[in-house]
Amino acid sequence: MKVFFAALFFAIISLQSSAQKLVMPGDYPDPSVVKIGNRYWASATSSNWFPAYPLLVSKDLIKWEAKGYVFNQLPAWADYYFWAPEISYEKGKVYIYYTAHKRGGNLCVGIASADKPEGPYTDHGPLICQEAGSIDAFPMRDKNGKLFMIWKEDGNSVKKPTPIWAQEMNEGRTALTGEKKELFRGTEPWEGELIEGVSMIRNGEYFYAFYAAAACCGRKCNYGTGIARAKDLLGPWEKYSKNPVITHDDEWKCPGHGTPIEKNGKYYFLYHAYENKSNVYAGRQGLLSEFKFTSDGWIEFEKDQLAPEKTSGITIKDDFNGAALNDNWQWSIFQNVSSSIQNNILELNANPVKSGAYLGQKTFNANYKAGISVLQKSAAEAGLAAIGDDRNLIRLSVFKNKIRIVQLKDDKETIIKEREIPLSEIIHLSMKVSNGKDITFSYSTDGNTYQVLQEKEIDGSFLPPWDRAVRIGPISNGSANQKAYFKNFSLVGAPD
């Protein structure tokens, strides 16, 4: 398949000890990383986008390549909110400890395993299901080699504290044994009574916990990263007096929830943050910082924490000339989306709901242009959409001799503009986005001259859900037996 990812996974990004670097552009919340052989493997939250949990591989922690997903079919016990995967490797086996919403229940920690990091993965079901919810699992061995599970009780969802628990786990990873013990919880003002996303590393006489605190997501987030240490895994734990060790600056905000990793004798932390310019619209992007162990037994990050990496050069082009969709396309976890590719044409079955059936690609910065071509033979209403979720999107779509802009906000549909156009074998649709949210649609019947359809920019600030980013892609509206046909998708970053 002819797909170009200029600066996406193959960006020329230098790793410097004096600053963190953007290494996973786009929406990659809660990233987790492990070394397997001579490669590093990572995953991240996918929430309600499917397939679930992207898999990425790298030789150097900087240039990452997509390698499919953990789940291409939903686990039988879970239905949505696929959050916070932790990828782990031991004794020739790869384990994914993950969080999902249990059907008819609450958040649970589940586990899946594979013989190789690219899968296929076998799901083993839920392992921890507390009444308030269980989330953010991390496996860790104590100094005697006993295997423990570390996790957060999701008390904040019911306005209660969020203790971090540890409990011994059997070697088969099928059950917890003994009694759980609380390690620590939010006690400092900056933590906002909410601690989560704990990951650990052992060095010298100490276990070190990297943890995130305060509000993770959305425009009002105030996330930060703290460090705690203990000589025994079960404590007592001591928080660093200089916390938070990573916090916001002029370029990035709300940094946290990641995993420490060693590379060639140096130590790094892979985590997420919002870029201030693209903010919630591009989502929580993957960052990398180097850290050191200090002579007094703590962890120190470089002062220049949040130096920016530009994402304006990112370009994605997909001419649909493969046998199936490439790994960067996802869809709603609540829809059974049906698509196929033949002769450089994407066929997308319609869905008879307001949101239609859609596919989405990550966005990367505040300003960009997207385009796709619609074939007139489409029986469904075919278009290009900026997507938040099933209840919130904006689309430019074509149906027979009409083109129109439709806004779906809180599941209420509004036609913003509609116009008759000459019948043409192919209609080229274009979307220009500024400031992450200001949208201008245009179209062309010859691929050269474009006509703007609206009088003023459309405000898309309502689009992103609290835990996700805006995505762009084709959309097909109509009855279940109708299809839409597309060619030549593009997404091109513009200067900020």
Side-chain angles (χ1 to χ4, degrees), residues 243-264:
N243 283 340
V245 292
I246 311 178
T247 186
H248 67 275
D249 82 343
D250 292 339
E251 300 293 341
W252 297 89
K253 70 175 187 176
C254 305
H257 200 142
T259 308
I261 189 75
E262 184 269 339
K263 174 178 175 282
N264 298 332

Side-chain angles (χ1 to χ4, degrees), residues 40-100:
Y40 296 90
W41 286 82
S43 189
T45 282
S46 53
S47 190
N48 290 338
W49 286 97
F50 199 74
Y53 300 128
L55 289 166
L56 305 131
V57 65
S58 174
K59 294 180 181 179
D60 57 9
L61 294 175
I62 301 168
K63 303 171 187 176
W64 292 90
E65 181 181 358
K67 284 292 183 181
Y69 296 87
V70 175
F71 294 128
N72 291 294
Q73 292 184 337
L74 278 175
W77 67 273
D79 47 14
Y80 57 88
Y81 279 159
F82 283 76
W83 286 334
E86 193 64 43
I87 184 168
S88 176
Y89 178 75
E90 196 171 58
K91 298 177 182 178
K93 201 82 169 178
V94 186
Y95 300 94
I96 302 283
Y97 303 90
Y98 67 96
T99 299

Side-chain angles (χ1 to χ4, degrees), residues 393-410:
L393 57 83
I394 303 172
R395 74 176 193 261
L396 173 65
S397 54
V398 178
F399 184 64
K400 296 183 179 178
N401 68 329
K402 289 186 177 181
I403 189 166
R404 61 181 184 169
I405 301 171
V406 180
Q407 174 180 283
L408 186 66
K409 184 177 181 180
D410 293 329

Side-chain angles (χ1 to χ4, degrees), residues 151-309:
W151 79 95
K152 167 201 168 187
E153 184 174 354
D154 199 44
N156 56 290
S157 65
V158 290
K159 298 182 179 180
K160 292 183 178 181
T162 60
I164 302 302
W165 297 102
Q167 190 169 349
E168 191 174 348
M169 181 167 50
N170 66 16
E171 290 293 330
R173 278 80 168 174
T174 59
L176 302 185
T177 62
E179 299 294 325
K180 69 181 184 294
K181 181 176 180 179
E182 182 178 333
L183 303 187
F184 52 89
R185 64 175 63 191
T187 55
E188 304 303 313
W190 76 272
E191 296 167 349
E193 300 183 345
L194 196 166
I195 280 180
E196 62 187 14
V198 171
S199 59
M200 293 186 179
I201 192 171
R202 188 181 180 190
N203 186 72
E205 62 179 339
Y206 287 107
F207 292 88
Y208 295 88
F210 295 70
Y211 66 89
C216 72
C217 312
R219 294 171 179 83
K220 296 181 179 180
C221 68
N222 59 348
Y223 227 30
T225 298
I227 300 291
R229 72 181 185 183
K231 291 186 176 180
D232 292 297
L233 181 62
L234 297 182
W237 284 84
E238 174 190 9
K239 293 178 182 176
Y240 193 20
S241 63
K242 296 181 180 179
N243 283 340
V245 292
I246 311 178
T247 186
H248 67 275
D249 82 343
D250 292 339
E251 300 293 341
W252 297 89
K253 70 175 187 176
C254 305
H257 200 142
T259 308
I261 189 75
E262 184 269 339
K263 174 178 175 282
N264 298 332
K266 293 185 177 183
Y267 296 90
Y268 301 92
F269 186 51
L270 178 67
Y271 59 103
H272 74 238
Y274 290 109
E275 185 199 23
N276 281 332
K277 290 181 179 178
S278 58
N279 205 333
V280 297
Y281 304 108
R284 294 170 286 168
Q285 308 189 52
L287 310 177
L288 191 71
S289 279
E290 184 180 356
F291 65 89
K292 298 177 182 179
F293 297 98
T294 62
S295 59
D296 61 349
W298 284 104
I299 282 173
E300 182 180 84
F301 285 85
E302 297 295 334
K303 298 296 184 184
D304 186 13
Q305 273 301 308
L306 300 173
E309 281 292 348

